[in-house]
């Protein structure tokens, strides 16, 4: 339960679901089935840490089996509990449906503070957790495929893969049992930056919609918009990078220790280096310190990006938030009460379960790569380059004009893996944004974009159940 509310994170996902279900035509039984968590695996296992034995609490939840495998990250955090993992697994189901990634939702969590352990101890915990998943058939390329989440990354995914492979010798598709792996272990180029890049593509598409910007009193397009980012982890860092490159000014960045503000904007690389060398964001040259990091959420800006944890914007602070657009890069950063406040004040909340879907979208590309056993672009890159050279040569010969070297490199270039992954992600985020906005526009009773996104998800999962048929 959060401090302000008497309902849990999973209840809040259920509330958002119920709000949207009213705008769909599904049988109540189907709606109940979509909403329920199908399997919840709670485990305790012992790990020797130094000279003592620690009993570790962990979870894996498979929210929906309407498609296989289940998909979703594993987080390492002291805040992990069953309710949180259930809520996050449910969000994964809806997220995958919206971006047409053919997976059911899943999520895992280990209740530890990863900073308190050595690398060797973390490896032991991760490998033991994987073994527990294997025992109960809760991991595998066709059953359930974990990925990074809060507190985990490519290193942990490599340990999971290695444990799985060791226990499934000869399984030809074993590399598809986990995504977010290092590229040398079957990962895909472009996965690391995928979530932040997806957030950027989604918000850019929203900002390119003139009618939406007119309603908010903002100019169309991203150019010159001010952005505040809460969290400088993987997602926040790449959000800052792409918004800056897209013509925005990142005027504030917040982390545990506080926040920094500069109306002229920050370069995230410099801020990252400063934090690494001094251990804190604070005292960045030329910036004003905000000692309470929550104050950054209330700064004057066009776009606010919460990119850390859930429930950071609630009934108490929502009325003081001045941003016109809030892009939920984290999962569940806004409580339902805060949502109501924003809807009433005409603040546009671009919801998590579609906006942060870039990670799982590129995980899907990685899984496809693993099952096809070939790097993207390997077959066609050289062919395209030869063809492009030939076409350009012909044009130059006929027109008797030469293009510049920069243009030549750009036109002749055949797509590499990272080009294909980025463009696949861009296409996915643009299509999803338009689909959700279309639902919202054609049904004016829908109060906010989150509800429209849920309607989109419920209709897709509902269709899947209806087509599967329900056992008699
Ligand atoms: N943990 C990420 C999320 O919440 C990625 C999940 C995945 O790639 O499966 O969407």
């Amino acid at each position: 339960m959060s401090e302000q509310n008497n309902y849990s994170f999973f209840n809040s996902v259920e509330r958002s679901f119920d709000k949207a279900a009213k705008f769909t035509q599904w049988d109540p039984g189907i709606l109940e089935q979509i909403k329920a968590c199908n399997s919840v695996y709670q485990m305790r296992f012992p790990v020797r840490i130094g000279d003592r034995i620690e009993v570790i609490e962990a979870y894996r939840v498979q929210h929906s089996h309407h498609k296989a495998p289940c998909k979703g990250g594993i987080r390492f955090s002291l805040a992990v509990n069953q309710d949180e993992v259930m809520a996050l697994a449910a969000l994964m189901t809806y997220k995958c449906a919206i971006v047409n990634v053919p997976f059911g939702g899943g999520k895992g969590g280990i209740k530890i503070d990863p900073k308190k352990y050595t690398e060797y101890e973390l490896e032991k915990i991760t490998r033991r957790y994987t073994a527990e998943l294997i025992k109960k058939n809760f991991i595998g390329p066709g059953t359930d495929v974990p990925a990074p989440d809060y507190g985990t990354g490519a290193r942990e995914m490599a340990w999971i893969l290695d444990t799985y492979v060791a226990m499934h010798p000869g399984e030809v598709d074993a590399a598809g049992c986990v995504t977010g792996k290092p590229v040398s272990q079957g990962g895909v180029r472009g996965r690391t930056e995928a979530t932040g890049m997806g957030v950027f593509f989604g918000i850019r598409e929203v900002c390119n919609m003139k009618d939406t910007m007119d309603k908010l009193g903002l100019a169309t397009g991203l150019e010159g918009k001010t952005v505040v980012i809460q969290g400088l982890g993987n997602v926040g860092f790449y959000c800052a990078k792409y918004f800056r490159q897209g013509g925005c000014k990142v005027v504030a960045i917040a982390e545990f220790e506080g926040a920094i503000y500069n109306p002229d904007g920050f370069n995230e690389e410099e801020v990252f280096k400063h934090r690494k060398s001094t251990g804190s964001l604070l005292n960045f040259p030329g910036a004003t310190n905000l000692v309470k990091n929550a104050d950054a959420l209330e700064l004057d800006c066009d776009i606010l990006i919460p990119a850390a944890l859930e429930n950071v914007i609630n009934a108490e602070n929502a009325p003081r938030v001045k941003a016109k657009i809030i892009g939920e890069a984290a999962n569940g950063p806004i409580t339902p009460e805060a949502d109501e406040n924003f809807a009433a004040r005409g603040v546009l909340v671009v919801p998590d379960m579609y906006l942060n879907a870039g990670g799982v979208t590129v995980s899907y590309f990685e899984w496809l790569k693993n099952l096809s056993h070939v790097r993207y672009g390997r077959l066609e890159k050289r062919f395209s380059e030869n063809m492009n050279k030939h076409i350009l040569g012909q044009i130059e010969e006929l027109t008797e004009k030469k293009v510049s070297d920069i243009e030549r490199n750009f036109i002749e270039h055949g797509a590499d893996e990272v080009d294909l992954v980025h463009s696949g992600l861009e296409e996915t985020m643009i299509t999803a944004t338009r689909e959700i906005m279309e639902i919202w526009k054609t049904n004016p009773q829908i109060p906010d974009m989150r509800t429209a996104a849920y309607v989109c998800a419920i209709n897709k999962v509902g269709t899947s159940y209806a087509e599967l048929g329900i056992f008699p």
Side-chain angles (χ1 to χ4, degrees):
M1 308 269 169
S2 70
E3 277 164 35
Q4 291 82 13
N5 316 312
N6 53 3
Y7 55 84
S8 69
F9 187 15
F10 185 65
N11 293 149
S12 105
V13 174
E14 288 188 306
R15 278 167 60 141
S16 301
F17 181 100
D18 292 340
K19 200 162 145 190
K22 292 201 273 294
F23 300 99
T24 71
Q25 310 291 325
W26 298 102
D27 178 278
I30 296 247
L31 290 172
E32 202 183 318
Q33 174 55 43
I34 299 174
K35 208 162 77 163
C37 270
N38 291 179
S39 314
V40 179
Y41 178 17
Q42 184 195 119
M43 62 202 100
R44 308 276 154 129
F45 51 81
V47 176
R48 184 176 291 283
I49 303 293
D51 54 5
R52 71 202 152 82
I53 289 172
E54 209 169 297
V55 179
I56 307 283
E57 177 182 333
Y59 303 86
R60 181 74 187 172
V61 171
Q62 298 177 345
H63 173 260
S64 177
H65 295 140
H66 75 288
K67 292 211 189 280
C70 288
K71 189 83 191 78
I74 293 176
R75 61 171 55 186
F76 288 0
S77 148
L78 275 181
V80 161
N81 59 61
Q82 185 172 319
D83 181 86
E84 181 191 66
V85 185
M86 284 167 66
L88 294 166
L91 287 173
M92 285 308 301
T93 295
Y94 309 133
K95 187 184 301 195
C96 290
I98 292 171
V99 291
N100 296 323
V101 164
F103 296 145
K107 201 76 165 200
I110 305 186
K111 190 180 169 138
I112 53 166
D113 175 359
K115 291 193 201 79
K116 296 231 167 86
Y117 299 89
T118 63
E119 188 170 3
Y120 173 64
E121 288 162 353
L122 281 175
E123 179 174 345
K124 276 208 293 189
I125 295 170
T126 309
R127 286 184 182 275
R128 178 61 194 256
Y129 174 74
T130 311
E132 295 295 324
L133 296 180
I134 294 170
K135 271 201 251 172
K136 294 276 191 284
N137 200 21
F138 261 66
I139 182 170
T143 45
D144 194 344
V145 182
D149 198 85
Y150 188 84
T152 58
R155 177 184 68 172
E156 286 73 15
M157 302 308 117
W159 293 332
I160 293 175
L161 173 71
D162 189 56
T163 311
Y164 184 88
V165 169
M167 292 164 101
H168 293 84
E171 192 178 301
V172 69
D173 290 331
C177 76
V178 62
T179 60
K181 303 178 291 287
V183 174
S184 60
Q185 304 295 318
V188 74
R189 289 162 189 83
R191 175 65 182 82
T192 312
E193 64 273 33
T195 309
M197 187 180 262
V199 169
F200 167 75
F201 286 142
I203 296 288
R204 186 187 66 184
E205 189 58 19
V206 167
C207 290
N208 282 340
M209 296 177 167
K210 189 177 178 320
D211 50 346
T212 307
M213 289 305 105
D214 285 351
K215 266 193 229 146
L216 295 169
L218 293 173
T220 308
L222 273 184
E223 196 59 42
K225 290 207 165 41
T226 51
V227 182
V228 170
I229 296 187
Q230 185 225 18
L232 198 62
N234 171 284
V235 180
F237 176 82
Y238 283 106
C239 283
K241 181 181 168 109
Y242 295 120
F243 279 109
R244 178 181 58 75
Q245 290 177 351
C248 295
K249 261 193 223 166
V250 178
V251 295
I253 300 180
E255 257 296 342
F256 299 105
E257 63 273 16
I260 47 174
Y261 173 74
N262 185 341
D264 295 333
F266 290 108
N267 178 308
E268 69 297 331
E269 306 262 1
E270 289 166 11
V271 175
F272 189 81
K273 273 192 209 132
H274 168 83
R275 187 168 189 242
K276 211 166 171 200
S277 62
T278 67
S280 168
L281 275 185
L282 300 174
N283 304 322
F284 184 78
T288 310
N289 287 336
L290 303 177
V291 180
K292 241 176 82 205
N293 60 8
D295 289 349
L297 301 168
E298 298 168 23
L299 286 171
D300 218 340
C301 64
D302 298 317
I303 305 170
L304 170 64
I305 304 284
L309 282 175
E310 54 261 24
N311 286 332
V312 290
I313 305 176
N314 46 46
E316 195 273 319
N317 59 357
R320 297 192 300 272
V321 169
K322 294 179 201 68
K324 312 245 176 23
I325 302 172
I326 307 176
E328 291 186 309
N331 288 308
I334 297 181
T335 64
E337 286 82 7
D339 245 353
E340 275 163 30
N341 177 281
F342 294 136
R345 291 201 288 127
V347 175
L348 177 66
V349 175
V350 186
D352 49 3
M353 92 267 204
Y354 118 83
L355 190 65
N356 69 27
V360 75
T361 302
V362 176
S363 277
Y364 171 46
F365 300 157
E366 179 175 334
W367 182 78
L368 290 174
K369 173 186 183 181
N370 296 149
L371 299 193
S372 63
H373 301 266
V374 63
R375 163 173 53 84
Y376 288 105
R378 177 167 174 179
L379 297 185
E380 63 274 37
K381 179 179 165 66
R382 188 64 47 190
F383 180 85
S384 311
E385 278 188 6
N386 290 341
M387 187 59 84
N388 295 344
K389 269 188 196 143
H390 187 75
I391 296 171
L392 187 59
Q394 287 293 306
I395 295 173
E396 286 183 330
E397 208 175 299
L398 289 171
T399 58
E400 291 179 8
K401 281 186 185 147
K402 293 260 176 216
V403 300
S404 68
D405 283 350
I406 294 178
E407 279 302 317
R408 179 176 313 282
N409 287 340
F410 183 73
I411 295 168
E412 290 181 352
H413 175 78
D416 288 309
E417 180 165 86
V418 73
D419 301 318
L420 294 167
V421 164
H422 286 172
S423 80
L425 175 59
E426 184 173 11
E427 165 61 19
T428 304
M429 294 309 295
I430 291 176
T431 307
T433 311
R434 291 186 185 166
E435 213 173 317
I436 295 167
M437 284 303 200
E438 196 51 37
I439 292 175
W440 196 10
K441 275 180 207 154
T442 46
N443 200 335
Q445 262 95 51
I446 292 180
D448 49 32
M449 195 175 170
R450 187 189 312 283
T451 309
Y454 267 93
V455 169
C456 177
I458 294 170
N459 283 338
K460 288 186 184 178
V461 183
T463 306
S464 207
Y465 273 118
E467 282 167 0
L468 275 177
I470 305 288
F471 280 113

